[in-house]
Amino acid sequence: MTPQQVELVQKSFQKVVPIAATAADLFYNRLFEIAPETRALFPTDMTQQKIKLMAMLGTAVTNLHKLDEILPAP
């Protein structure tokens, strides 16, 4: 990614942070809609899973400038 692309993604993600719970709801609702078989892979109470999703996205977005450090080696 170019530095400009990284900046755009990071700025865009900052708009999601205040609505993190809603964003996580939208993500999982859509996932289970298009791939209902995946629902069994998750706990009944999705509260902690949604928090983990948003935390991981935050980590990834924050560290886009050093992807080689956060991505697993091939």
Side-chain angles (χ1 to χ4, degrees), residues 21-50:
T22 300
D25 285 339
L26 291 169
F27 174 84
Y28 283 111
N29 289 343
R30 182 67 177 141
L31 173 64
F32 300 148
E33 179 183 323
I34 63 173
E37 68 279 5
T38 63
R39 184 61 185 96
L41 300 172
F42 295 92
T44 303
D45 181 353
M46 292 290 291
T47 304
Q48 290 302 311
Q49 183 65 36
K50 291 173 184 179

mmCIF file of all heavy atoms in Angstrom, residues 21-50:
data_model
loop_
_atom_site.group_PDB
_atom_site.id
_atom_site.type_symbol
_atom_site.label_atom_id
_atom_site.label_comp_id
_atom_site.label_asym_id
_atom_site.label_seq_id
_atom_site.Cartn_x
_atom_site.Cartn_y
_atom_site.Cartn_z
ATOM 1 N N ALA A 21 -19.681 -1.223 17.762
ATOM 2 C CA ALA A 21 -20.651 -2.283 18.064
ATOM 3 C C ALA A 21 -21.591 -2.505 16.878
ATOM 4 O O ALA A 21 -21.869 -3.651 16.500
ATOM 5 C CB ALA A 21 -21.448 -1.948 19.321
ATOM 6 N N THR A 22 -22.049 -1.432 16.285
ATOM 7 C CA THR A 22 -22.933 -1.538 15.120
ATOM 8 C C THR A 22 -22.182 -2.142 13.934
ATOM 9 O O THR A 22 -22.722 -2.986 13.211
ATOM 10 C CB THR A 22 -23.494 -0.150 14.745
ATOM 11 O OG1 THR A 22 -24.235 0.346 15.856
ATOM 12 C CG2 THR A 22 -24.384 -0.218 13.529
ATOM 13 N N ALA A 23 -20.932 -1.722 13.743
ATOM 14 C CA ALA A 23 -20.130 -2.258 12.644
ATOM 15 C C ALA A 23 -19.929 -3.766 12.802
ATOM 16 O O ALA A 23 -20.038 -4.520 11.823
ATOM 17 C CB ALA A 23 -18.782 -1.544 12.580
ATOM 18 N N ALA A 24 -19.660 -4.198 14.015
ATOM 19 C CA ALA A 24 -19.486 -5.631 14.264
ATOM 20 C C ALA A 24 -20.792 -6.380 14.030
ATOM 21 O O ALA A 24 -20.799 -7.467 13.434
ATOM 22 C CB ALA A 24 -18.983 -5.863 15.690
ATOM 23 N N ASP A 25 -21.900 -5.802 14.455
ATOM 24 C CA ASP A 25 -23.213 -6.413 14.195
ATOM 25 C C ASP A 25 -23.437 -6.565 12.696
ATOM 26 O O ASP A 25 -23.866 -7.630 12.228
ATOM 27 C CB ASP A 25 -24.344 -5.559 14.771
ATOM 28 C CG ASP A 25 -24.462 -5.652 16.277
ATOM 29 O OD1 ASP A 25 -23.972 -6.640 16.867
ATOM 30 O OD2 ASP A 25 -25.063 -4.729 16.868
ATOM 31 N N LEU A 26 -23.174 -5.512 11.953
ATOM 32 C CA LEU A 26 -23.365 -5.558 10.506
ATOM 33 C C LEU A 26 -22.487 -6.630 9.868
ATOM 34 O O LEU A 26 -22.932 -7.373 8.987
ATOM 35 C CB LEU A 26 -23.056 -4.193 9.881
ATOM 36 C CG LEU A 26 -24.038 -3.079 10.198
ATOM 37 C CD1 LEU A 26 -23.483 -1.726 9.760
ATOM 38 C CD2 LEU A 26 -25.379 -3.349 9.535
ATOM 39 N N PHE A 27 -21.235 -6.721 10.321
ATOM 40 C CA PHE A 27 -20.309 -7.708 9.770
ATOM 41 C C PHE A 27 -20.819 -9.125 10.002
ATOM 42 O O PHE A 27 -20.923 -9.921 9.060
ATOM 43 C CB PHE A 27 -18.918 -7.539 10.391
ATOM 44 C CG PHE A 27 -17.967 -8.617 9.958
ATOM 45 C CD1 PHE A 27 -17.279 -8.512 8.762
ATOM 46 C CD2 PHE A 27 -17.770 -9.753 10.742
ATOM 47 C CE1 PHE A 27 -16.425 -9.527 8.344
ATOM 48 C CE2 PHE A 27 -16.919 -10.763 10.332
ATOM 49 C CZ PHE A 27 -16.239 -10.652 9.137
ATOM 50 N N TYR A 28 -21.112 -9.448 11.245
ATOM 51 C CA TYR A 28 -21.531 -10.819 11.542
ATOM 52 C C TYR A 28 -22.916 -11.144 10.979
ATOM 53 O O TYR A 28 -23.138 -12.270 10.525
ATOM 54 C CB TYR A 28 -21.452 -11.102 13.044
ATOM 55 C CG TYR A 28 -20.027 -11.332 13.477
ATOM 56 C CD1 TYR A 28 -19.366 -10.419 14.287
ATOM 57 C CD2 TYR A 28 -19.322 -12.452 13.044
ATOM 58 C CE1 TYR A 28 -18.045 -10.626 14.658
ATOM 59 C CE2 TYR A 28 -18.005 -12.659 13.413
ATOM 60 C CZ TYR A 28 -17.375 -11.746 14.216
ATOM 61 O OH TYR A 28 -16.062 -11.948 14.581
ATOM 62 N N ASN A 29 -23.823 -10.181 10.979
ATOM 63 C CA ASN A 29 -25.129 -10.430 10.366
ATOM 64 C C ASN A 29 -24.969 -10.784 8.890
ATOM 65 O O ASN A 29 -25.604 -11.724 8.397
ATOM 66 C CB ASN A 29 -26.053 -9.224 10.526
ATOM 67 C CG ASN A 29 -26.526 -9.039 11.947
ATOM 68 O OD1 ASN A 29 -26.434 -9.950 12.772
ATOM 69 N ND2 ASN A 29 -27.026 -7.857 12.248
ATOM 70 N N ARG A 30 -24.119 -10.053 8.214
ATOM 71 C CA ARG A 30 -23.897 -10.329 6.786
ATOM 72 C C ARG A 30 -23.170 -11.655 6.593
ATOM 73 O O ARG A 30 -23.519 -12.442 5.697
ATOM 74 C CB ARG A 30 -23.114 -9.187 6.144
ATOM 75 C CG ARG A 30 -22.872 -9.356 4.673
ATOM 76 C CD ARG A 30 -24.155 -9.284 3.868
ATOM 77 N NE ARG A 30 -23.842 -9.390 2.460
ATOM 78 C CZ ARG A 30 -24.562 -10.060 1.579
ATOM 79 N NH1 ARG A 30 -25.686 -10.636 1.947
ATOM 80 N NH2 ARG A 30 -24.191 -10.131 0.333
ATOM 81 N N LEU A 31 -22.170 -11.925 7.414
ATOM 82 C CA LEU A 31 -21.455 -13.199 7.324
ATOM 83 C C LEU A 31 -22.419 -14.370 7.466
ATOM 84 O O LEU A 31 -22.414 -15.298 6.648
ATOM 85 C CB LEU A 31 -20.368 -13.294 8.400
ATOM 86 C CG LEU A 31 -19.648 -14.645 8.513
ATOM 87 C CD1 LEU A 31 -18.875 -14.952 7.234
ATOM 88 C CD2 LEU A 31 -18.738 -14.659 9.726
ATOM 89 N N PHE A 32 -23.261 -14.318 8.471
ATOM 90 C CA PHE A 32 -24.182 -15.432 8.717
ATOM 91 C C PHE A 32 -25.302 -15.490 7.669
ATOM 92 O O PHE A 32 -25.863 -16.551 7.429
ATOM 93 C CB PHE A 32 -24.757 -15.345 10.128
ATOM 94 C CG PHE A 32 -23.695 -15.411 11.208
ATOM 95 C CD1 PHE A 32 -23.864 -14.741 12.401
ATOM 96 C CD2 PHE A 32 -22.526 -16.138 11.025
ATOM 97 C CE1 PHE A 32 -22.893 -14.806 13.405
ATOM 98 C CE2 PHE A 32 -21.548 -16.198 12.013
ATOM 99 C CZ PHE A 32 -21.732 -15.532 13.203
ATOM 100 N N GLU A 33 -25.564 -14.372 7.025
ATOM 101 C CA GLU A 33 -26.549 -14.362 5.944
ATOM 102 C C GLU A 33 -25.993 -15.055 4.694
ATOM 103 O O GLU A 33 -26.674 -15.864 4.074
ATOM 104 C CB GLU A 33 -26.927 -12.916 5.605
ATOM 105 C CG GLU A 33 -27.919 -12.771 4.472
ATOM 106 C CD GLU A 33 -28.193 -11.313 4.152
ATOM 107 O OE1 GLU A 33 -28.250 -10.475 5.080
ATOM 108 O OE2 GLU A 33 -28.356 -11.004 2.960
ATOM 109 N N ILE A 34 -24.747 -14.726 4.344
ATOM 110 C CA ILE A 34 -24.175 -15.290 3.113
ATOM 111 C C ILE A 34 -23.525 -16.653 3.326
ATOM 112 O O ILE A 34 -23.336 -17.394 2.367
ATOM 113 C CB ILE A 34 -23.182 -14.320 2.437
ATOM 114 C CG1 ILE A 34 -21.977 -14.048 3.329
ATOM 115 C CG2 ILE A 34 -23.880 -13.043 2.026
ATOM 116 C CD1 ILE A 34 -20.885 -13.234 2.664
ATOM 117 N N ALA A 35 -23.191 -16.966 4.566
ATOM 118 C CA ALA A 35 -22.566 -18.262 4.871
ATOM 119 C C ALA A 35 -23.131 -18.783 6.192
ATOM 120 O O ALA A 35 -22.436 -18.808 7.213
ATOM 121 C CB ALA A 35 -21.053 -18.123 4.946
ATOM 122 N N PRO A 36 -24.375 -19.192 6.191
ATOM 123 C CA PRO A 36 -25.019 -19.607 7.450
ATOM 124 C C PRO A 36 -24.315 -20.768 8.146
ATOM 125 O O PRO A 36 -24.398 -20.894 9.369
ATOM 126 C CB PRO A 36 -26.436 -19.980 7.027
ATOM 127 C CG PRO A 36 -26.442 -20.057 5.558
ATOM 128 C CD PRO A 36 -25.266 -19.288 5.052
ATOM 129 N N GLU A 37 -23.603 -21.568 7.395
ATOM 130 C CA GLU A 37 -22.893 -22.692 8.013
ATOM 131 C C GLU A 37 -21.781 -22.235 8.957
ATOM 132 O O GLU A 37 -21.335 -22.999 9.816
ATOM 133 C CB GLU A 37 -22.321 -23.617 6.929
ATOM 134 C CG GLU A 37 -21.204 -23.038 6.088
ATOM 135 C CD GLU A 37 -21.643 -22.122 4.940
ATOM 136 O OE1 GLU A 37 -22.851 -21.820 4.807
ATOM 137 O OE2 GLU A 37 -20.761 -21.706 4.174
ATOM 138 N N THR A 38 -21.345 -20.993 8.841
ATOM 139 C CA THR A 38 -20.293 -20.488 9.730
ATOM 140 C C THR A 38 -20.809 -20.163 11.130
ATOM 141 O O THR A 38 -20.026 -20.050 12.062
ATOM 142 C CB THR A 38 -19.614 -19.235 9.149
ATOM 143 O OG1 THR A 38 -20.576 -18.188 9.041
ATOM 144 C CG2 THR A 38 -18.989 -19.524 7.797
ATOM 145 N N ARG A 39 -22.111 -20.021 11.279
ATOM 146 C CA ARG A 39 -22.676 -19.646 12.586
ATOM 147 C C ARG A 39 -22.274 -20.628 13.677
ATOM 148 O O ARG A 39 -22.006 -20.234 14.820
ATOM 149 C CB ARG A 39 -24.214 -19.535 12.500
ATOM 150 C CG ARG A 39 -24.867 -19.057 13.798
ATOM 151 C CD ARG A 39 -24.354 -17.668 14.140
ATOM 152 N NE ARG A 39 -24.812 -17.164 15.405
ATOM 153 C CZ ARG A 39 -24.130 -17.233 16.553
ATOM 154 N NH1 ARG A 39 -22.974 -17.860 16.602
ATOM 155 N NH2 ARG A 39 -24.597 -16.688 17.654
ATOM 156 N N ALA A 40 -22.204 -21.897 13.333
ATOM 157 C CA ALA A 40 -21.856 -22.932 14.315
ATOM 158 C C ALA A 40 -20.419 -22.801 14.819
ATOM 159 O O ALA A 40 -20.062 -23.390 15.847
ATOM 160 C CB ALA A 40 -22.065 -24.314 13.704
ATOM 161 N N LEU A 41 -19.606 -22.032 14.132
ATOM 162 C CA LEU A 41 -18.210 -21.855 14.534
ATOM 163 C C LEU A 41 -18.038 -20.823 15.649
ATOM 164 O O LEU A 41 -16.948 -20.676 16.196
ATOM 165 C CB LEU A 41 -17.369 -21.424 13.326
ATOM 166 C CG LEU A 41 -17.354 -22.390 12.149
ATOM 167 C CD1 LEU A 41 -16.645 -21.753 10.959
ATOM 168 C CD2 LEU A 41 -16.696 -23.700 12.540
ATOM 169 N N PHE A 42 -19.113 -20.121 15.976
ATOM 170 C CA PHE A 42 -19.045 -19.026 16.932
ATOM 171 C C PHE A 42 -19.921 -19.308 18.150
ATOM 172 O O PHE A 42 -20.886 -20.061 18.066
ATOM 173 C CB PHE A 42 -19.501 -17.724 16.256
ATOM 174 C CG PHE A 42 -18.587 -17.284 15.157
ATOM 175 C CD1 PHE A 42 -18.818 -17.686 13.850
ATOM 176 C CD2 PHE A 42 -17.488 -16.485 15.419
ATOM 177 C CE1 PHE A 42 -17.970 -17.292 12.822
ATOM 178 C CE2 PHE A 42 -16.640 -16.094 14.407
ATOM 179 C CZ PHE A 42 -16.877 -16.497 13.104
ATOM 180 N N PRO A 43 -19.602 -18.660 19.276
ATOM 181 C CA PRO A 43 -20.421 -18.856 20.482
ATOM 182 C C PRO A 43 -21.813 -18.259 20.301
ATOM 183 O O PRO A 43 -22.029 -17.384 19.463
ATOM 184 C CB PRO A 43 -19.639 -18.105 21.566
ATOM 185 C CG PRO A 43 -18.825 -17.102 20.836
ATOM 186 C CD PRO A 43 -18.507 -17.715 19.504
ATOM 187 N N THR A 44 -22.742 -18.725 21.102
ATOM 188 C CA THR A 44 -24.100 -18.190 21.073
ATOM 189 C C THR A 44 -24.099 -16.714 21.421
ATOM 190 O O THR A 44 -24.718 -15.905 20.742
ATOM 191 C CB THR A 44 -24.998 -18.972 22.055
ATOM 192 O OG1 THR A 44 -24.957 -20.349 21.701
ATOM 193 C CG2 THR A 44 -26.419 -18.470 22.009
ATOM 194 N N ASP A 45 -23.396 -16.357 22.478
ATOM 195 C CA ASP A 45 -23.261 -14.954 22.884
ATOM 196 C C ASP A 45 -22.052 -14.371 22.137
ATOM 197 O O ASP A 45 -20.909 -14.721 22.422
ATOM 198 C CB ASP A 45 -23.057 -14.846 24.392
ATOM 199 C CG ASP A 45 -22.942 -13.411 24.879
ATOM 200 O OD1 ASP A 45 -22.883 -12.483 24.038
ATOM 201 O OD2 ASP A 45 -22.898 -13.211 26.099
ATOM 202 N N MET A 46 -22.329 -13.506 21.207
ATOM 203 C CA MET A 46 -21.285 -12.953 20.338
ATOM 204 C C MET A 46 -20.618 -11.698 20.890
ATOM 205 O O MET A 46 -19.759 -11.112 20.226
ATOM 206 C CB MET A 46 -21.896 -12.650 18.972
ATOM 207 C CG MET A 46 -22.307 -13.866 18.173
ATOM 208 S SD MET A 46 -20.894 -14.797 17.575
ATOM 209 C CE MET A 46 -20.245 -13.659 16.368
ATOM 210 N N THR A 47 -20.957 -11.290 22.084
ATOM 211 C CA THR A 47 -20.455 -10.033 22.635
ATOM 212 C C THR A 47 -18.929 -9.955 22.589
ATOM 213 O O THR A 47 -18.364 -8.998 22.047
ATOM 214 C CB THR A 47 -20.950 -9.836 24.085
ATOM 215 O OG1 THR A 47 -22.381 -9.911 24.089
ATOM 216 C CG2 THR A 47 -20.492 -8.497 24.644
ATOM 217 N N GLN A 48 -18.256 -10.941 23.152
ATOM 218 C CA GLN A 48 -16.793 -10.915 23.190
ATOM 219 C C GLN A 48 -16.185 -11.078 21.801
ATOM 220 O O GLN A 48 -15.155 -10.475 21.495
ATOM 221 C CB GLN A 48 -16.261 -11.987 24.146
ATOM 222 C CG GLN A 48 -16.527 -11.684 25.593
ATOM 223 C CD GLN A 48 -15.922 -10.354 26.020
ATOM 224 O OE1 GLN A 48 -14.760 -10.054 25.766
ATOM 225 N NE2 GLN A 48 -16.738 -9.528 26.666
ATOM 226 N N GLN A 49 -16.810 -11.871 20.970
ATOM 227 C CA GLN A 49 -16.315 -12.068 19.607
ATOM 228 C C GLN A 49 -16.327 -10.756 18.830
ATOM 229 O O GLN A 49 -15.397 -10.445 18.091
ATOM 230 C CB GLN A 49 -17.155 -13.123 18.880
ATOM 231 C CG GLN A 49 -16.658 -13.443 17.487
ATOM 232 C CD GLN A 49 -15.290 -14.083 17.488
ATOM 233 O OE1 GLN A 49 -14.962 -14.865 18.372
ATOM 234 N NE2 GLN A 49 -14.482 -13.756 16.500
ATOM 235 N N LYS A 50 -17.374 -9.983 19.004
ATOM 236 C CA LYS A 50 -17.481 -8.700 18.311
ATOM 237 C C LYS A 50 -16.415 -7.721 18.800
ATOM 238 O O LYS A 50 -15.832 -6.972 18.012
ATOM 239 C CB LYS A 50 -18.881 -8.125 18.488
ATOM 240 C CG LYS A 50 -19.937 -8.928 17.749
ATOM 241 C CD LYS A 50 -21.338 -8.439 18.064
ATOM 242 C CE LYS A 50 -22.378 -9.306 17.398
ATOM 243 N NZ LYS A 50 -23.742 -8.867 17.706
#
